[in-house]
Amino acid sequence: MSLTDKIEIPRRTMVLFFIVDTSGSMDGSKIGAVNMAIREVLPEIRSMSAENADALIKIAALEFSSGASWITKSGPVEADDFNWSNIDAAGVTDFGAACRALNEKLSTKAFMLEATGSFAPALFLLSDGAPTDDWQAGLDVLKGNNWFKAAVKVAIAIGDDADQDVLAAFTGNKETVLTAHTPAILAKMIKFVSVTASKVASTNTKADPTQGDPDNAKTDELINNLNELKDDVASAPDNSNTDMW
């Protein structure tokens, strides 16, 4: 090999998890806005992954209603290869089941299995209601997961019926819970959070999942970005003709 030959260094992986409430109350404009926003943000995530010399971004998606089911059943998919198919909404809100399903896959024996190593994942939760199962027991199990401890976590409460205390229990911080009252704002938040959470998670040092985020650096950076979004949403003109949740 000559000195001019370029040595390609394998990139570590960062997984962006979409965790989507697909209960019956999400039917209509809510799930429609989720489908549209995730589909429309994918080109930006693909571009971010392509331009990041350190991190290859992959996407995993979990839906929960009457039970929980992985959309990406075989594991995280590289952003370049990931395509979003519209999902429907029906059933109850088994958030505890979603927590248990997430705990099972946040493991080096499952979705975090990468030969070159992984950054801490980004977990993005969207919900419009209150859990109908034993969510606390499921979340307690998930909180013992070291990858969960290290993860960048954000949630969006869709409408006033969403239980923000539950969402804050998931993210660990009320400041990382946003609220959307219209399809336009929900779409804007999904796009912003998807990109921001991916960027924060994939530009920090390699995760040691046994250590979590002891200096809260990722959380502080995330909150600063989310505060900019909140200010932008608050200053947007009110449109009384827009559907409200």
Side-chain angles (χ1 to χ4, degrees), residues 216-227:
N216 295 312
K218 294 192 295 290
T219 300
D220 290 344
E221 182 179 351
L222 179 65
I223 289 172
N224 287 337
N225 283 278
L226 295 182
N227 285 337

Side-chain angles (χ1 to χ4, degrees), residues 80-196:
D80 277 349
D81 299 323
F82 183 84
N83 292 295
W84 183 260
S85 297
N86 285 352
I87 52 177
D88 299 318
V92 295
T93 312
D94 286 345
F95 179 54
C99 290
R100 293 181 183 278
L102 184 59
N103 177 65
E104 290 174 1
K105 298 303 184 183
L106 281 177
S107 166
T108 51
K109 296 180 181 179
F111 282 9
M112 307 307 292
L113 175 63
E114 290 293 340
T116 54
S118 298
F119 286 91
L123 309 178
F124 187 10
L125 170 64
L126 302 104
S127 181
D128 77 329
T132 51
D133 63 351
D134 186 1
W135 69 273
Q136 188 65 69
L139 183 58
D140 285 345
V141 170
L142 181 58
K143 283 184 174 181
N145 185 301
N146 287 323
W147 282 110
F148 180 79
K149 295 175 186 177
V152 172
K153 298 179 280 287
V154 188
I156 293 181
I158 305 172
D160 289 330
D161 290 336
D163 193 326
Q164 295 208 15
D165 289 337
V166 171
L167 300 183
F170 176 85
T171 67
N173 193 318
K174 286 187 175 182
E175 292 188 79
T176 53
V177 177
L178 306 174
T179 303
H181 288 103
T182 70
I185 293 300
L186 176 58
K188 182 173 185 175
M189 286 182 171
I190 290 174
K191 295 173 189 177
F192 184 93
V193 171
S194 300
V195 172
T196 301

Side-chain angles (χ1 to χ4, degrees), residues 9-13 48-57 116-117:
I9 300 174
R11 293 189 293 169
R12 297 185 295 255
T13 296
M48 186 190 311
S49 179
E51 295 170 1
N52 191 324
D54 297 318
L56 172 68
I57 298 177
T116 54

Side-chain angles (χ1 to χ4, degrees), residues 7 15 32 58 70 72 74 121 137 147 169 181 185 196-197 213 215-216:
I7 300 175
V15 182
K58 293 188 176 183
W70 285 100
T72 50
S74 59
W147 282 110
H181 288 103
I185 293 300
T196 301
D213 184 18
D215 59 0
N216 295 312

